[in-house]
Every structure is written in C-alpha cells, then in structure tokens.
Amino acid sequence: MSTPSLPRVQHIIGSGIVAAVGVWVAYVSYTQQPAEAFLFPRLISSVFVVLALWTFAKACLGWTKVGNGISVTQFTNLIPGLIIALIYIFWAAKGLGFYTATTIAFFILLSLYDPAPHGALKSWGKRILITAVFMAVMYALFAKLLNVYTPREVLF
Amino acid sequence: MEFLFYMGDVFTPINFGLLLLGTIGGLILGATPGLSPTMAVALLIPFTFQLEAAQGLILLGAAYTSTVAGGAVSAILLKIPGAPANIATTLDGHTMAQKGEGAKALQLSFLASAVGGVFGVLLLIFLTPVLAQWALAFGPSHLFWLAILGVTVIGSLDSASVVKGLLSGCIGLWLATIGFDDIMGAQRFIFHPALGGGINIIAALIGLFAIPQVITMFAKGRAGDGAEVIKVQKHPIGGAIKEILRNKRAMGIGTATGSIIGLIPGVGGQIAGLVAYDQSKKFSPDRDKFGTGHPEGVIAAESANNAMVGPSLVPLLTLSIPGSPTAAVLLGGLLIHGIFPGTDLFDNHPDVAWTFINSMLIGQVLMCIFGLYVAGLAAKVAQVPQSVMAAIVLGLAVFGSYSVQSSMGDVYVMASLGVMMYFLERFGFSAAPLVLGLILGPIAEANFIQGSMIANATDGMAPYFLGGGLNILLIAVVIASILYSGYMELRTRRYTSKEEIVA
C-alpha cells in the first residue's frame, strides 16, 4: 500500500464538500415537487450520494490513494493569480468593460508570473508589448471578426 | 463510397482555407505544453458560431488531428509531451534529438502520424455508415444505457480511481439536470439566476478544460520551465521515408493498436501510444535499442496516437457516445449547430458528415506536409513562458464563453466550474467523465423519461429497462468495464503518468 502523499485533512475537506453536495442533491431530488420532474435526478443522486459518502469515508479512514492535493508552495503561488482572475471575471469584466479589464488583468498576471527579473526595464517593455499585441488580436477576432458586443464601461 | 461524392466540398476556397488554418494552428497549439487537444478544440468552438456546420467541424476536426501530431514536436525537442498522447514519443524521440537526429525524429513522427491517421479515418469512413444503420434498432431503453455506458466507461477507464471517476460522471449528470425540466417546466437546482437556462455546454467545456490548466500554471509560480529546445540539423525527407518503409512492423503494430483502442470509448491516445510502444518493443528483434533513440519507438507511438483519432469518432457519429474527451467537445460543436449524431446525421445532413470526415482525411496529409515545415516555429512557441500562456488562455476562455450567448452568466459558470475542477483534480477526480456526464445527461434523461412512459403503458419499468438481449448486453458492458478497472486499480497503478516520463 502506497503512503498517501497528502495530509489526510485535505482529502477529508475535499471529499467532505463533495459528499455534502451529494446529500443536498439527493435531499432536493426526493423532496421537491412535482416528483415527475425529479425522476431522473433521483436516480442519479442515489448513486451520487452513495459514491460520495464512500469517498468521504475512505478519506476519513486515510485510505485515499489518488490525488496529490495542494502543497503550501503551490497554494501560495496560485493564490495571487487566482484572486486577480476572479476579480477580473466576477467584477472588472463588467464593471470596467471587457477590453479594459482584460488588458489590466493580462498585464498584472504576466508581470506576476513572468520569470524575467522585475528590475530590468527591458522585461517591462516586453510585457507591455505582449499585452498590446494580445489585446489587438483579441479585438480583431472578437469585435471585428465575430462581431461580439462586449460590456464597455471605461475606455472600451 | 458515398464519401467520394462529397470529396469536392473539402476543396472549396473557404473550406480548404479553414482546413489549412486548423491544421497549421493545431500543429502550433499542439506543440505548446499545457494546451491539450481537448482544450484547444474547446477554445476554438466560439470561433465556429458564425460558420456553417460543415465549416465549423472542418476547423475543429483539423485542430483535433494536428494538435495530437503537433504534441510530438515538444516531446522530441523539449522532452515535454505537448499532449498526453505524446508521452510514449518522448522515450525515443527526445533521445534521438539529443543524438543530433531531431529532424529525422520529427520527420518520422509526422510521416507515421499521417499513415496511422489516414488508416484511422478510413476506418471511420467505412465503419460509421454501417454502425449508424445498426443504431436504428436502438429504442429509448438502449439509448439510455448507451449514455450511461459512455459515462461509466470513461469514468472507470480514464480515471486513476474508479470510484472517483464514476463520482465525477455523477456530478456531470447532475449538472446537466440544472435548469428547467423539459416536460413539467419545473425549476431544478437553480440556486443562482445565471443558472436559469441551465449550464451552457460550451461555457462548461471551456471552463472545465482551460481554467484548471491556467491555475496549474499559476501554481508553478515564477519558475521557468528550464527546458531548452534542441537544435535541429537538416535531414533528407527521402531518408525518413525509407526508414518508415524499413520499419513496417512498428508502423503496422502502431496503426492497428491505435485503431482498435480508438474504437473503445474512454481509452485515449495516451494509452494507444504506450500500448503500441510496448507491443512494438516486444515484437522487435532490436528491443534492447528501445529507449536509446530507436526510430521504431517513435514510429509505433506516433502512428498509434493518430490512428486513434478517426476511430474515436465512430461511437460519436453513430451512437452519440463520444469515444474521448475531445470527441465530447466535438459533440458540443455539433449540437450548437442543431445537428444530432447518429442516423439523423447521415440521413439529413450527409453533406456535413461526409465533408467533415473527408476533411480529416485530407487534413492528415496536410498535417504531414506542414508539420515538417512548422516544426521549427512550433518548437519556438513551445518555449513561450507559462505566465504568457496562462494569461492568454484565461483571456480566450473569458471572451470565448461570453461570445456563446453574450451572457456574463456563462462567464461566471465557466469560471466557477473551472475553479471547482482544478480543486477536484487535485483530489483525484477527472474532468473527462464529468464532461461526458454533462453532455450525455440530457440524452440519458430524455430516453429515461420516454422509456418510463412506454414501460408504464406496457410491462413495467424493470422488464423494459432490464430485459431484452441488447439491454442485457449493454448493462453487462457497463458492469464489466467497472469491474475490470477496479481489478486493474487494485493490481497496480495502470498507466505511466506524464510526470513520470518527464522526470
């Protein structure tokens, strides 16, 4: 038996959330009316909840063998990018306008994760150039070629 | 020979232009580590909205074919498989490149891909109409079990954990029920206004395949990949063709293995390449040379992963059951144009079906020709820093999902599902069965409800759904696939992972 590479608590939390969703889905499926509309969800949720509880029980007992979880380093690395991405998607894209928000988010993400040194002036110029080219391509593709009308608040 | 009648349609200026664009773009995308064929095709779907159905499918099909082949470039020159299907290629391909035979390895890889790919598409051409007619005999109960089979086979065979694979499938089936019920009009699981119209398949596909990859790139931090492209010396193409002809055994094993594996729903190119490599090694008198830069290894692996492409579409085009995650994305591409696979496709839209299939045949040849020239450029693209790739993919995902219905709700759904999938993947869940559940859920439910009505008017639920030879056969396959995967999981870790090869 291989040693689990992840602290058991991470698996317990992860599978616990899935199990909670499974129980909620099963509860809603069996209690909501009209019953005919929930015939198929009942069928699925019965299997869903059994498998989810099984997975949760295995996690609690420390029998989980699959899934590497997230290390502290990975977590600290991904958090800034994830926060920026979520702000971009759930607020800025509509609040600032699609193209403005995308330009800002793209440039910040590029600057955050670019392995090139932050002190070098040349690398900043490169990032600005990449952002400009990317936005020009996106504008040409979506606004001109596909005629997609996007929310426009600030600038464009 | 109906396909020959529609062959000319591939060569209209727009269709051929799209085929070229998809092929060259796919080769470059495929060479980019982190951009899997499934994700590339999912990101391309929004660009097909304004195209006719056949044109959209030509673009998607060409991208599918050439991303699989393009993945060999980074596998050979960087030792980073562009896609899971190219894992086996790294074993000998990269060693050849280190020995100064990079150009030869690339030529062998594209030639073998083309031969395997053409054979696979020919199988698709000749098997599909036969199976499509056979599918006419399927009633609601059979179609219900087929949809369940599609989810369980991928859930059990494509996942490291059978239970988590099946659970992923259940999550997908549940997500498919969100929205208004088709018959009663009742609200089901609408816990946010954005979900009122149900989950849009295209937005979901983009989120489930693109966003986890973006977050994975974030998780690597600012560290560079550290991969250096090996310089490629010139090598005469005639020499590579002679080498292919000398290695007919490896080519035959690769092509046959890939074709057979492609026909089995859920077993992807990664397995095709590795099995073909392994079998080729077993039957080769030079088996000791495998792993040391032996051309047979490259030929077997690459012919297999491209031979798999055509047959993987057979269950999709005949029975609406996608044979692979990429085929599931292509199904999404068909559905947005109002086309349903199966007999409907060949009876009512033969021009769409055959133009698409023919384009894949021509695409294999184009992929071989352009692959040899684009390899250098593709290798440079493969060096694009992860930070740039993450930002580009995120931008494309947001714009792509918004353009589906010009709805921010779709963008929220895309992002939520993507973030959820990243964390689920870290805990051993898999996106492929979830996507299959999401796509096949409505098919399963519609046939379940229709079957229930027939059953209530006749013999009852159990005899209708569990009786009859075909039902029993399908149920037996569902159970067998689960038991087999469970047995294999208990015995050993089944497949070599991408990380293990790269390490």
Side-chain angles (χ1 to χ4, degrees), chain B residues 296-382:
Chain B
E296 275 191 68
V298 177
I299 293 168
E302 279 302 309
S303 56
N305 66 32
N306 258 56
M308 179 274 311
V309 170
S312 77
L313 298 178
V314 173
L316 168 72
L317 297 180
T318 54
L319 304 166
S320 308
I321 306 296
S324 66
T326 320
V329 179
L330 280 173
L331 176 59
L334 273 172
L335 295 178
I336 55 163
H337 288 286
I339 293 172
F340 292 87
T343 48
D344 172 64
L345 180 64
F346 288 91
D347 290 344
N348 300 326
H349 309 281
D351 52 331
V352 175
W354 288 118
T355 307
F356 167 54
I357 293 172
N358 287 338
S359 76
M360 290 190 74
L361 193 63
I362 307 298
Q364 299 289 344
V365 182
L366 291 179
M367 176 263 294
C368 179
I369 296 167
F370 285 98
L372 300 169
Y373 292 100
V374 176
L377 173 66
K380 283 200 175 72
V381 173

Coordinates of all heavy atoms in Angstrom, one line a residue, chain B residues 296-382:
Chain B
E296 N 12.0 2.9 -34.3 CA 10.8 2.1 -34.2 C 9.9 2.7 -33.1 O 8.7 2.6 -33.2 CB 11.2 0.7 -33.9 CG 11.5 -0.1 -35.1 CD 11.5 -1.6 -34.8 OE1 10.5 -2.2 -34.4 OE2 12.7 -2.2 -34.8
G297 N 10.5 3.1 -32.0 CA 9.7 3.6 -30.9 C 8.9 4.9 -31.3 O 7.7 5.0 -30.9
V298 N 9.5 5.8 -32.0 CA 8.8 7.0 -32.5 C 7.7 6.6 -33.4 O 6.6 7.1 -33.3 CB 9.8 8.0 -33.1 CG1 9.1 9.2 -33.7 CG2 10.9 8.4 -32.2
I299 N 8.0 5.7 -34.4 CA 7.0 5.3 -35.4 C 5.8 4.6 -34.8 O 4.7 5.0 -35.1 CB 7.7 4.4 -36.4 CG1 8.8 5.2 -37.2 CG2 6.7 3.8 -37.4 CD1 9.7 4.3 -38.1
A300 N 6.1 3.7 -33.8 CA 5.0 3.0 -33.2 C 4.1 3.9 -32.4 O 2.8 3.9 -32.6 CB 5.5 1.9 -32.3
A301 N 4.7 4.8 -31.6 CA 3.9 5.7 -30.7 C 3.1 6.7 -31.5 O 1.9 6.9 -31.3 CB 4.9 6.4 -29.8
E302 N 3.8 7.3 -32.5 CA 3.1 8.4 -33.3 C 2.0 7.8 -34.2 O 1.0 8.4 -34.4 CB 4.1 9.2 -34.0 CG 4.7 10.3 -33.1 CD 3.7 11.2 -32.5 OE1 2.9 11.8 -33.2 OE2 3.8 11.4 -31.3
S303 N 2.3 6.7 -34.9 CA 1.2 6.1 -35.7 C 0.0 5.7 -34.9 O -1.1 5.9 -35.3 CB 1.8 4.9 -36.5 OG 2.3 3.9 -35.7
A304 N 0.3 5.2 -33.7 CA -0.9 4.8 -32.8 C -1.7 6.0 -32.4 O -2.9 5.9 -32.5 CB -0.3 4.1 -31.6
N305 N -1.1 7.1 -31.9 CA -1.9 8.1 -31.4 C -2.7 8.9 -32.4 O -3.7 9.5 -32.1 CB -1.1 9.1 -30.4 CG 0.0 9.9 -31.1 OD1 -0.2 10.2 -32.3 ND2 1.0 10.2 -30.4
N306 N -2.2 8.8 -33.7 CA -3.0 9.5 -34.7 C -4.0 8.5 -35.3 O -5.1 8.9 -35.8 CB -2.2 10.1 -35.8 CG -2.1 11.6 -35.6 OD1 -1.7 12.0 -34.5 ND2 -2.5 12.3 -36.6
A307 N -3.7 7.2 -35.3 CA -4.6 6.2 -35.8 C -5.9 6.1 -34.9 O -7.0 5.8 -35.4 CB -4.0 4.8 -35.9
M308 N -5.7 6.6 -33.7 CA -6.8 6.5 -32.7 C -7.8 7.6 -33.0 O -9.0 7.5 -32.6 CB -6.2 6.8 -31.3 CG -7.0 6.8 -30.1 SD -7.7 8.4 -29.7 CE -6.3 9.5 -29.8
V309 N -7.4 8.7 -33.7 CA -8.3 9.9 -33.8 C -9.6 9.5 -34.6 O -10.7 9.8 -34.1 CB -7.6 11.0 -34.5 CG1 -8.5 12.2 -34.9 CG2 -6.5 11.6 -33.6
G310 N -9.4 8.9 -35.8 CA -10.6 8.6 -36.6 C -11.6 7.6 -35.9 O -12.8 8.0 -35.7
P311 N -11.1 6.4 -35.5 CA -12.0 5.5 -34.8 C -12.7 6.1 -33.5 O -13.8 5.7 -33.2 CB -11.1 4.3 -34.4 CG -10.0 4.4 -35.4 CD -9.8 5.9 -35.7
S312 N -12.0 7.0 -32.8 CA -12.6 7.6 -31.6 C -13.9 8.4 -31.9 O -14.7 8.6 -31.0 CB -11.6 8.5 -30.9 OG -11.5 9.7 -31.5
L313 N -14.0 8.7 -33.2 CA -15.3 9.4 -33.6 C -16.4 8.5 -34.1 O -17.5 8.9 -34.2 CB -14.9 10.4 -34.7 CG -13.9 11.5 -34.4 CD1 -13.7 12.4 -35.6 CD2 -14.4 12.4 -33.2
V314 N -16.1 7.2 -34.2 CA -17.1 6.3 -34.7 C -18.3 6.2 -33.7 O -19.4 6.4 -34.1 CB -16.5 4.9 -35.0 CG1 -17.6 3.9 -35.3 CG2 -15.6 4.9 -36.1
P315 N -18.0 5.9 -32.4 CA -19.2 5.9 -31.5 C -19.9 7.2 -31.4 O -21.1 7.3 -31.2 CB -18.6 5.5 -30.1 CG -17.1 5.5 -30.3 CD -16.8 5.6 -31.7
L316 N -19.2 8.4 -31.6 CA -19.8 9.7 -31.5 C -20.8 9.9 -32.7 O -21.9 10.2 -32.5 CB -18.8 10.8 -31.5 CG -19.3 12.2 -31.8 CD1 -20.0 12.7 -30.6 CD2 -18.2 13.2 -32.1
L317 N -20.3 9.6 -33.9 CA -21.1 9.9 -35.1 C -22.2 8.9 -35.3 O -23.2 9.2 -36.0 CB -20.2 9.9 -36.3 CG -19.1 11.0 -36.3 CD1 -18.3 11.0 -37.6 CD2 -19.8 12.4 -36.2
T318 N -22.1 7.7 -34.7 CA -23.1 6.7 -34.9 C -24.1 6.6 -33.8 O -25.3 6.5 -34.0 CB -22.5 5.3 -35.1 OG1 -21.7 5.0 -34.0 CG2 -21.7 5.2 -36.4
L319 N -23.6 6.7 -32.5 CA -24.5 6.5 -31.4 C -24.6 7.7 -30.4 O -25.2 7.6 -29.4 CB -23.9 5.3 -30.6 CG -23.8 4.0 -31.4 CD1 -23.0 3.0 -30.6 CD2 -25.2 3.4 -31.7
S320 N -24.0 8.8 -30.8 CA -23.9 10.0 -30.0 C -23.1 9.8 -28.7 O -23.2 10.5 -27.7 CB -25.3 10.4 -29.5 OG -26.2 10.6 -30.6
I321 N -22.3 8.7 -28.7 CA -21.4 8.5 -27.5 C -20.0 8.9 -27.8 O -19.3 8.2 -28.6 CB -21.5 6.9 -27.1 CG1 -22.9 6.5 -26.9 CG2 -20.6 6.7 -25.9 CD1 -23.7 7.1 -25.8
P322 N -19.5 9.9 -27.3 CA -18.1 10.4 -27.6 C -17.1 9.3 -27.1 O -17.2 8.9 -26.0 CB -18.0 11.7 -26.8 CG -19.4 12.1 -26.4 CD -20.2 10.8 -26.3
G323 N -16.2 9.0 -28.0 CA -15.2 8.0 -27.6 C -14.0 8.6 -26.8 O -13.2 7.8 -26.2
S324 N -13.9 9.9 -26.7 CA -12.8 10.5 -26.0 C -13.3 11.9 -25.5 O -14.3 12.4 -26.1 CB -11.6 10.7 -26.9 OG -11.9 11.6 -28.0
P325 N -12.6 12.5 -24.6 CA -13.0 13.9 -24.2 C -13.0 14.9 -25.3 O -13.9 15.7 -25.4 CB -11.9 14.3 -23.2 CG -11.4 13.0 -22.6 CD -11.5 12.0 -23.8
T326 N -12.1 14.7 -26.3 CA -12.1 15.6 -27.4 C -13.3 15.4 -28.3 O -13.9 16.3 -28.8 CB -10.8 15.5 -28.2 OG1 -9.7 15.3 -27.3 CG2 -10.6 16.7 -29.1
A327 N -13.7 14.1 -28.4 CA -14.9 13.8 -29.2 C -16.1 14.4 -28.5 O -17.0 14.8 -29.2 CB -15.0 12.3 -29.3
A328 N -16.1 14.4 -27.2 CA -17.2 15.1 -26.4 C -17.3 16.5 -26.7 O -18.4 17.1 -26.9 CB -17.0 14.9 -24.9
V329 N -16.1 17.2 -26.9 CA -16.1 18.6 -27.2 C -16.6 18.8 -28.6 O -17.4 19.7 -28.9 CB -14.7 19.2 -27.1 CG1 -14.7 20.7 -27.4 CG2 -14.2 19.0 -25.6
L330 N -16.2 17.9 -29.6 CA -16.8 17.9 -30.9 C -18.3 17.8 -30.9 O -19.0 18.4 -31.8 CB -16.1 16.9 -31.8 CG -14.7 17.2 -32.3 CD1 -14.1 15.9 -33.0 CD2 -14.7 18.3 -33.3
L331 N -18.8 16.9 -30.0 CA -20.2 16.7 -29.9 C -20.9 18.1 -29.6 O -21.9 18.4 -30.2 CB -20.6 15.7 -28.9 CG -22.1 15.4 -28.6 CD1 -22.8 15.0 -29.9 CD2 -22.3 14.4 -27.5
G332 N -20.2 18.8 -28.7 CA -20.7 20.1 -28.3 C -20.8 21.0 -29.5 O -21.7 21.8 -29.8
G333 N -19.7 20.9 -30.4 CA -19.6 21.7 -31.6 C -20.8 21.3 -32.6 O -21.3 22.2 -33.3
L334 N -21.1 20.1 -32.6 CA -22.3 19.6 -33.5 C -23.6 20.1 -33.0 O -24.4 20.6 -33.7 CB -22.3 18.1 -33.5 CG -21.5 17.3 -34.5 CD1 -21.6 15.8 -34.2 CD2 -22.0 17.5 -35.9
L335 N -23.8 20.0 -31.7 CA -25.1 20.4 -31.1 C -25.4 21.9 -31.2 O -26.5 22.2 -31.4 CB -25.1 20.0 -29.6 CG -25.0 18.5 -29.3 CD1 -25.0 18.2 -27.8 CD2 -26.2 17.7 -29.9
I336 N -24.3 22.7 -31.1 CA -24.6 24.2 -31.3 C -25.1 24.5 -32.7 O -25.7 25.5 -32.9 CB -23.4 25.1 -30.9 CG1 -22.2 24.7 -31.7 CG2 -23.1 25.1 -29.4 CD1 -21.2 25.8 -31.7
H337 N -24.8 23.6 -33.6 CA -25.4 23.8 -35.0 C -26.7 23.1 -35.2 O -27.1 23.0 -36.4 CB -24.3 23.4 -36.0 CG -23.1 24.4 -36.1 ND1 -23.2 25.6 -36.7 CD2 -21.9 24.3 -35.6 CE1 -22.1 26.2 -36.6 NE2 -21.2 25.4 -35.9
G338 N -27.2 22.5 -34.1 CA -28.5 21.9 -34.2 C -28.4 20.5 -34.9 O -29.4 20.0 -35.5
I339 N -27.2 19.9 -34.9 CA -27.1 18.6 -35.6 C -26.9 17.5 -34.5 O -26.0 17.7 -33.7 CB -25.9 18.7 -36.6 CG1 -26.2 19.6 -37.7 CG2 -25.6 17.3 -37.1 CD1 -25.1 19.9 -38.6
F340 N -27.7 16.5 -34.6 CA -27.5 15.4 -33.7 C -26.9 14.2 -34.4 O -27.3 13.8 -35.5 CB -28.9 15.0 -33.1 CG -29.5 16.0 -32.3 CD1 -30.3 17.0 -32.8 CD2 -29.3 16.0 -30.9 CE1 -30.8 18.0 -32.1 CE2 -29.8 17.1 -30.1 CZ -30.6 18.1 -30.7
P341 N -25.8 13.6 -33.8 CA -25.2 12.5 -34.4 C -26.1 11.3 -34.5 O -27.2 11.3 -33.9 CB -24.0 12.2 -33.5 CG -23.8 13.4 -32.6 CD -25.2 14.0 -32.5
G342 N -25.7 10.3 -35.2 CA -26.5 9.1 -35.4 C -27.0 9.0 -36.8 O -26.5 9.7 -37.7
T343 N -28.1 8.3 -36.9 CA -28.7 8.2 -38.3 C -29.1 9.5 -38.8 O -29.1 9.8 -40.0 CB -29.9 7.2 -38.3 OG1 -30.7 7.6 -37.2 CG2 -29.4 5.8 -38.1
D344 N -29.6 10.4 -37.9 CA -30.0 11.8 -38.4 C -28.9 12.5 -39.2 O -29.2 13.1 -40.2 CB -30.4 12.6 -37.1 CG -30.7 14.0 -37.5 OD1 -31.7 14.3 -38.2 OD2 -29.9 14.9 -37.0
L345 N -27.7 12.3 -38.7 CA -26.6 13.0 -39.3 C -26.4 12.5 -40.7 O -26.2 13.3 -41.6 CB -25.3 12.7 -38.4 CG -24.0 13.3 -38.9 CD1 -24.1 14.9 -38.9 CD2 -22.9 12.9 -38.0
F346 N -26.4 11.2 -40.9 CA -26.1 10.7 -42.3 C -27.3 10.7 -43.2 O -27.2 10.8 -44.4 CB -25.6 9.2 -42.2 CG -24.2 9.2 -41.6 CD1 -24.0 9.1 -40.3 CD2 -23.1 9.4 -42.5 CE1 -22.7 9.1 -39.8 CE2 -21.8 9.4 -42.0 CZ -21.6 9.3 -40.6
D347 N -28.6 10.7 -42.6 CA -29.8 10.8 -43.4 C -30.1 12.2 -43.8 O -30.5 12.5 -45.0 CB -31.0 10.2 -42.7 CG -30.8 8.6 -42.6 OD1 -30.0 8.1 -43.3 OD2 -31.5 8.0 -41.7
N348 N -30.0 13.1 -42.8 CA -30.5 14.5 -43.1 C -29.3 15.5 -43.4 O -29.6 16.6 -43.9 CB -31.3 15.0 -41.9 CG -32.5 14.1 -41.7 OD1 -33.1 13.6 -42.6 ND2 -32.9 13.9 -40.4
H349 N -28.1 15.2 -42.9 CA -27.0 16.1 -43.2 C -25.8 15.4 -43.7 O -24.7 15.5 -43.2 CB -26.6 16.8 -41.8 CG -27.7 17.4 -41.1 ND1 -28.3 18.6 -41.5 CD2 -28.5 17.0 -40.0 CE1 -29.3 19.0 -40.6 NE2 -29.4 18.0 -39.8
P350 N -26.0 14.6 -44.8 CA -24.8 13.8 -45.3 C -23.7 14.7 -45.8 O -22.5 14.4 -45.7 CB -25.4 13.0 -46.5 CG -26.7 13.8 -46.9 CD -27.2 14.4 -45.6
D351 N -24.1 15.9 -46.3 CA -23.0 16.9 -46.7 C -22.1 17.3 -45.6 O -20.9 17.3 -45.7 CB -23.7 18.1 -47.4 CG -24.7 18.7 -46.5 OD1 -25.4 18.0 -45.7 OD2 -24.9 20.0 -46.6
V352 N -22.8 17.5 -44.4 CA -22.0 18.0 -43.3 C -21.1 16.8 -42.8 O -19.9 16.9 -42.6 CB -22.9 18.4 -42.1 CG1 -22.1 18.7 -40.8 CG2 -23.7 19.6 -42.5
A353 N -21.7 15.6 -42.7 CA -21.0 14.5 -42.1 C -19.8 14.1 -43.0 O -18.7 13.9 -42.5 CB -21.9 13.3 -42.0
W354 N -20.1 14.0 -44.3 CA -19.0 13.5 -45.2 C -18.0 14.6 -45.5 O -16.8 14.2 -45.6 CB -19.6 13.0 -46.5 CG -20.3 11.6 -46.3 CD1 -21.6 11.4 -46.5 CD2 -19.7 10.4 -45.8 NE1 -21.9 10.1 -46.2 CE2 -20.8 9.5 -45.7 CE3 -18.4 10.1 -45.4 CZ2 -20.5 8.2 -45.3 CZ3 -18.2 8.8 -45.0 CH2 -19.3 7.8 -44.9
T355 N -18.4 15.8 -45.5 CA -17.4 16.9 -45.7 C -16.4 16.9 -44.5 O -15.2 17.1 -44.7 CB -18.0 18.2 -45.9 OG1 -19.0 18.1 -47.0 CG2 -17.0 19.3 -46.3
F356 N -17.0 16.8 -43.3 CA -16.2 16.7 -42.1 C -15.2 15.6 -42.1 O -14.0 15.7 -41.9 CB -17.1 16.7 -40.9 CG -16.5 16.3 -39.6 CD1 -15.4 17.1 -39.2 CD2 -16.9 15.3 -38.8 CE1 -14.8 16.8 -38.0 CE2 -16.3 15.0 -37.6 CZ -15.2 15.7 -37.2
I357 N -15.7 14.4 -42.4 CA -14.9 13.2 -42.4 C -13.8 13.3 -43.5 O -12.6 12.9 -43.3 CB -15.8 11.9 -42.6 CG1 -16.6 11.7 -41.3 CG2 -14.9 10.7 -42.8 CD1 -17.7 10.6 -41.4
N358 N -14.2 13.7 -44.7 CA -13.2 13.8 -45.8 C -12.2 14.8 -45.5 O -11.0 14.7 -45.8 CB -13.9 14.3 -47.1 CG -14.8 13.2 -47.7 OD1 -14.5 12.0 -47.4 ND2 -15.8 13.5 -48.5
S359 N -12.6 15.9 -44.8 CA -11.6 16.9 -44.4 C -10.5 16.4 -43.4 O -9.4 16.7 -43.5 CB -12.2 18.2 -43.8 OG -12.6 17.9 -42.5
M360 N -11.0 15.4 -42.6 CA -10.0 14.8 -41.7 C -9.0 13.9 -42.5 O -7.8 13.9 -42.1 CB -10.7 13.9 -40.7 CG -11.5 14.8 -39.7 SD -12.1 13.9 -38.3 CE -10.6 13.6 -37.4
L361 N -9.5 13.3 -43.6 CA -8.6 12.5 -44.4 C -7.5 13.4 -45.1 O -6.3 13.1 -45.0 CB -9.4 11.8 -45.4 CG -8.8 10.7 -46.2 CD1 -8.4 9.5 -45.3 CD2 -9.7 10.1 -47.3
I362 N -8.0 14.5 -45.7 CA -7.1 15.4 -46.4 C -6.2 16.1 -45.3 O -5.0 16.3 -45.6 CB -7.9 16.5 -47.2 CG1 -8.9 15.8 -48.1 CG2 -6.9 17.4 -47.9 CD1 -8.3 15.0 -49.2
G363 N -6.8 16.4 -44.2 CA -6.0 17.0 -43.1 C -4.8 16.2 -42.6 O -3.8 16.8 -42.3
Q364 N -4.9 14.9 -42.7 CA -3.8 14.1 -42.3 C -2.6 14.3 -43.2 O -1.5 14.4 -42.8 CB -4.2 12.6 -42.4 CG -5.3 12.2 -41.5 CD -4.9 12.2 -40.0 OE1 -3.8 12.2 -39.6 NE2 -5.9 12.1 -39.1
V365 N -2.9 14.5 -44.5 CA -1.8 14.7 -45.5 C -1.2 16.1 -45.3 O 0.0 16.3 -45.3 CB -2.4 14.5 -46.9 CG1 -1.3 14.7 -48.0 CG2 -3.0 13.1 -47.1
L366 N -2.1 17.1 -45.1 CA -1.7 18.5 -44.9 C -0.8 18.5 -43.6 O 0.2 19.2 -43.6 CB -2.8 19.4 -44.8 CG -3.7 19.6 -46.1 CD1 -4.8 20.6 -45.8 CD2 -2.8 20.2 -47.2
M367 N -1.3 17.8 -42.6 CA -0.6 17.8 -41.3 C 0.9 17.3 -41.5 O 1.8 17.8 -40.9 CB -1.4 17.0 -40.3 CG -0.8 16.8 -39.0 SD 0.1 15.2 -38.9 CE -1.2 14.1 -39.1
C368 N 1.0 16.3 -42.3 CA 2.3 15.7 -42.6 C 3.2 16.7 -43.3 O 4.4 17.0 -43.0 CB 2.2 14.4 -43.4 SG 3.7 13.7 -43.7
I369 N 2.6 17.3 -44.4 CA 3.4 18.3 -45.2 C 3.8 19.5 -44.4 O 5.0 19.9 -44.3 CB 2.6 18.7 -46.4 CG1 2.3 17.5 -47.3 CG2 3.3 19.8 -47.2 CD1 1.3 17.8 -48.4
F370 N 2.8 20.1 -43.7 CA 3.1 21.3 -43.0 C 3.9 21.1 -41.7 O 4.6 21.9 -41.2 CB 1.8 22.1 -42.7 CG 1.3 22.8 -43.9 CD1 0.3 22.2 -44.7 CD2 1.8 24.0 -44.3 CE1 -0.2 22.9 -45.8 CE2 1.4 24.6 -45.4 CZ 0.4 24.1 -46.2
G371 N 3.6 19.9 -41.1 CA 4.3 19.6 -39.8 C 5.8 19.7 -40.0 O 6.5 20.2 -39.1
L372 N 6.3 19.2 -41.1 CA 7.8 19.2 -41.3 C 8.3 20.6 -41.4 O 9.4 20.9 -41.0 CB 8.1 18.4 -42.6 CG 7.7 17.0 -42.5 CD1 7.8 16.3 -43.9 CD2 8.5 16.2 -41.5
Y373 N 7.5 21.6 -41.9 CA 7.9 22.9 -42.0 C 7.6 23.8 -40.8 O 8.4 24.7 -40.4 CB 7.3 23.6 -43.3 CG 7.8 23.0 -44.5 CD1 7.0 22.0 -45.2 CD2 9.0 23.3 -45.1 CE1 7.5 21.4 -46.4 CE2 9.5 22.7 -46.2 CZ 8.7 21.8 -46.9 OH 9.2 21.2 -48.0
V374 N 6.5 23.4 -40.1 CA 6.1 24.3 -39.0 C 6.8 23.9 -37.7 O 6.8 24.6 -36.7 CB 4.5 24.1 -38.8 CG1 4.0 24.9 -37.6 CG2 3.8 24.7 -40.0
A375 N 7.5 22.7 -37.7 CA 8.1 22.2 -36.5 C 9.0 23.2 -35.8 O 9.0 23.3 -34.6 CB 8.9 20.9 -36.8
G376 N 9.8 23.9 -36.6 CA 10.8 24.8 -36.1 C 10.0 26.0 -35.3 O 10.4 26.3 -34.2
L377 N 9.0 26.5 -36.0 CA 8.2 27.6 -35.4 C 7.5 27.0 -34.1 O 7.4 27.7 -33.1 CB 7.2 28.1 -36.4 CG 6.2 29.1 -35.9 CD1 6.8 30.4 -35.5 CD2 5.1 29.4 -37.0
A378 N 6.9 25.8 -34.3 CA 6.2 25.2 -33.2 C 7.1 25.0 -32.0 O 6.6 25.3 -30.8 CB 5.6 23.9 -33.6
A379 N 8.3 24.6 -32.2 CA 9.2 24.4 -31.1 C 9.5 25.8 -30.4 O 9.7 25.8 -29.2 CB 10.5 23.9 -31.6
K380 N 9.6 26.9 -31.1 CA 9.8 28.2 -30.5 C 8.5 28.6 -29.7 O 8.7 29.1 -28.6 CB 10.0 29.2 -31.6 CG 11.4 29.2 -32.2 CD 11.8 30.5 -32.8 CE 13.2 30.5 -33.3 NZ 13.4 29.6 -34.5
V381 N 7.3 28.3 -30.2 CA 6.1 28.6 -29.5 C 6.1 27.8 -28.2 O 5.6 28.2 -27.2 CB 4.9 28.3 -30.4 CG1 3.6 28.4 -29.6 CG2 4.8 29.2 -31.6
A382 N 6.6 26.5 -28.3 CA 6.6 25.7 -27.1 C 7.4 26.3 -26.0 O 7.2 25.9 -24.8 CB 7.1 24.3 -27.5

